[in-house]
Amino acid sequence: PQKLNIYVINILVELHNSDRRIVDDCDVLFAVWDGQKIGGTWQTIAYAKKIGKPIVYFGGNPEEKV
């Protein structure tokens, strides 16, 4: 179990880093988001906001719920 836990943590770190690279490399972030402030999608959106990237939401604008 110890190796599995470390492996899972490493996967999560890599996913987080790849999401940040996507935001860093894009001009505009296109997001499909349900408005809940949990999970990887929210973390990616929060990072994009923090660095001032424009965000286009599909399926409505969840920002109205924030």
Side-chain angles (χ1 to χ4, degrees), residues 3-38:
K3 287 184 180 181
L4 179 61
N5 290 337
I6 292 170
Y7 181 70
V8 170
I9 289 169
N10 286 338
I11 289 173
L12 294 174
V13 167
E14 284 303 312
L15 288 173
H16 176 74
N17 289 339
S18 67
D19 289 345
R20 284 185 170 236
R21 281 192 298 271
I22 290 168
V23 173
D24 289 339
D25 291 344
C26 74
D27 295 318
V28 177
L29 179 67
F30 294 90
V32 178
W33 180 47
D34 61 8
Q36 294 188 27
K37 293 183 176 182
I38 57 170

Side-chain angles (χ1 to χ4, degrees), residues 34-47:
D34 61 8
Q36 294 188 27
K37 293 183 176 182
I38 57 170
T41 302
W42 164 244
Q43 291 174 352
T44 303
I45 289 169
Y47 177 66

